[in-house]
Amino acid sequence: MHDFQNDFVVYDEAFKAYVPFILEQHADEQAVSAFVDLESNRRYKLLIQSKQDGFLFVDAALRRKCPAGQWVVLDIDSLHRLYRKPQVFITLYGPAVVNNWQLLIGHARAMSQQTIRLNDDLLSVRPRPLSGFIDFFSVGLLFLLASHAFLYTFFRRGFLTYYSPLNLVRLDPPDESSLISRPLGGVSMAFTLNLSLGLAFLFLYVQSQHISLFGAGAFLPQGQTFGQLLLSYLAVTAVVFGLMLGKYALIATVGSLYKFDSIVSLHYFRIVEASLVFTTILLLLTAAISPYSSNFEPSPSLVVIPFIVYYLGRLGWLYLTLVRQMPVKNLYLFSYLCIVELIPLVIGIRFAV
């Protein structure tokens, strides 16, 4: 049905992009790639053969070895169910020179069937891949802008307290007793919910960049419609909000064991305050760089490293803030912060990647 011999591309270091394979220029390349349209080739087979031993990568992940002289047959319907998107990126790695590889799309036929020969004189019309995330991204940013405007209008004192960079610099807590003394009050919960909405949006944006965190790729597959993305967004928001409440429960439990009941509410307030400022900065950066996101290769380190730096900086900042509130041995306070801050960070990094 289709021969990919003229569709191969190779990665050009000079242009930092994939360019068409030209034998005179890329004869020594060991890796050739091609986009395989799964949506338009349902019920067909993907056939791969190498004259020498090579390896098959799908979306930059090693899938299997291709023994020399043997056909590797993949069912396109199975690939579509597995990856849940209209196209996959196939990379064939092995000996140099593209003529070593054959990459075909075909279907089985009986020997009695008549062979029909096709030529490539006509243009092939393929459906344009549609993504609901572009609409969701725009609507999501407008929704977050509206949620911040709502908090600024109806909870202005709390908004100016939580979103004040000056409060982050000062080690003394702000004079806003209702926010600190009532961490589960209505005002505090409103800002915690807004924080959950922002983090859930960032999580879905990272998923859209083909970076799977916490193994959520199977639950949040690529190619979702706007309605499916909206339901996923609400589900992730609920999970993040539950984790924030669980964070407070952990602080309260460990604080009672260490007799630190007097700083539990302040500790949680400082966490929400720092997270709101950090998340807002990330949302602004995301809105600014998203039009250019296709120009660089996404990597989990681009997501994990900033969060690690933030959490370690927050750990030191919390220590300096809390140590001023009560006369306590540094070792006790440090062990308390390790349990409620450092251990969750290590566990989170372990399961995130």
Side-chain angles (χ1 to χ4, degrees):
M1 299 301 298
H2 184 72
D3 188 346
F4 287 88
Q5 199 68 22
N6 297 322
D7 297 339
F8 285 120
V9 296
V10 296
Y11 186 77
D12 193 307
E13 289 289 345
F15 293 98
K16 301 297 181 181
Y18 286 92
V19 298
F21 178 88
I22 301 176
L23 184 60
E24 291 77 9
Q25 298 181 10
H26 307 120
D28 296 330
E29 293 288 339
Q30 292 185 303
V32 291
S33 306
F35 288 97
V36 178
D37 193 335
L38 304 180
E39 191 70 36
S40 302
N41 295 289
R42 306 288 293 273
R43 299 182 297 278
Y44 293 136
K45 307 292 183 182
L46 184 66
L47 299 95
I48 306 168
Q49 187 187 55
S50 174
K51 294 180 181 179
Q52 302 180 43
D53 290 344
F55 298 91
L56 168 65
F57 292 77
V58 181
D59 285 346
L62 177 62
R63 289 306 176 189
R64 62 168 299 161
K65 181 179 181 180
C66 298
Q70 297 184 19
W71 284 101
V72 175
V73 181
L74 303 177
D75 185 74
I76 292 183
D77 286 342
S78 299
L79 291 174
H80 189 272
R81 287 192 299 269
L82 177 62
Y83 291 96
R84 299 186 183 183
K85 56 183 181 179
Q87 283 187 335
V88 293
F89 190 62
I90 298 292
T91 301
L92 306 174
Y93 180 84
V97 183
V98 71
N99 292 328
N100 176 73
W101 291 97
Q102 291 189 70
L103 181 63
L104 311 170
I105 291 179
H107 66 89
R109 68 178 181 87
M111 293 300 296
S112 59
Q113 289 180 322
Q114 183 180 1
T115 301
I116 301 176
R117 299 186 179 276
L118 301 177
N119 56 47
D120 294 331
D121 295 338
L122 299 178
L123 294 175
S124 60
V125 180
R126 297 182 178 179
R128 177 181 171 182
L130 300 177
S131 173
F133 188 81
I134 297 177
D135 296 333
F136 172 80
F137 182 78
S138 302
V139 174
L141 285 178
L142 291 176
F143 174 74
L144 290 173
L145 179 62
S147 68
H148 283 77
F150 175 84
L151 293 176
Y152 179 78
T153 302
F154 294 97
F155 306 106
R156 181 166 301 184
R157 289 188 60 190
F159 188 93
L160 296 177
T161 301
Y162 274 117
Y163 287 93
S164 173
L166 183 60
N167 287 337
L168 292 178
V169 178
R170 295 188 309 177
L171 297 180
D172 295 327
D175 186 16
E176 189 69 30
S177 59
S178 62
L179 294 178
I180 299 177
S181 61
R182 300 177 57 191
L184 300 182
V187 178
S188 298
M189 286 294 97
F191 285 94
T192 303
L193 178 60
N194 195 57
L195 173 62
S196 304
L197 291 170
L199 289 174
F201 181 85
L202 291 173
F203 182 81
L204 290 183
Y205 177 77
V206 170
Q207 286 292 128
S208 73
Q209 300 301 309
H210 309 288
I211 301 176
S212 180
L213 297 178
F214 301 102
F219 300 98
L220 302 171
Q222 301 293 328
Q224 288 183 308
T225 63
F226 179 83
Q228 292 172 328
L229 284 168
L230 181 60
L231 292 177
S232 299
Y233 178 57
L234 295 177
V236 175
T237 300
V239 172
V240 175
F241 186 73
L243 291 175
M244 291 299 298
L245 296 181
K247 179 74 171 184
Y248 175 75
L250 175 63
I251 293 173
T253 302
V254 179
S256 64
L257 293 177
Y258 278 86
K259 307 300 183 183
F260 290 168
D261 303 84
S262 59
I263 64 171
V264 167
S265 298
L266 175 61
H267 185 181
Y268 183 73
F269 167 81
R270 284 301 202 182
I271 289 177
V272 176
E273 180 187 19
S275 299
L276 281 171
V277 175
F278 179 70
T279 303
T280 303
I281 293 174
L282 287 184
L283 287 171
L284 294 175
L285 290 176
T286 301
I289 68 174
S290 60
Y292 313 100
S293 59
S294 59
N295 296 334
F296 57 87
E297 193 74 16
S299 171
S301 60
L302 295 176
V303 179
V304 176
I305 292 179
F307 273 92
I308 293 177
V309 173
Y310 160 69
Y311 273 101
L312 292 179
R314 193 181 77 177
L315 178 63
W317 173 69
L318 285 171
Y319 172 80
L320 295 176
T321 300
L322 300 179
V323 77
R324 297 166 61 90
Q325 303 304 313
M326 56 186 305
V328 65
K329 290 185 178 180
N330 292 338
L331 179 60
Y332 292 164
L333 181 58
F334 183 75
S335 60
Y336 161 78
L337 290 175
C338 284
I339 294 175
V340 298
E341 296 291 339
L342 195 58
I343 293 179
L345 172 63
V346 174
I347 296 176
I349 297 172
R350 169 63 179 84
F351 288 100
V353 295

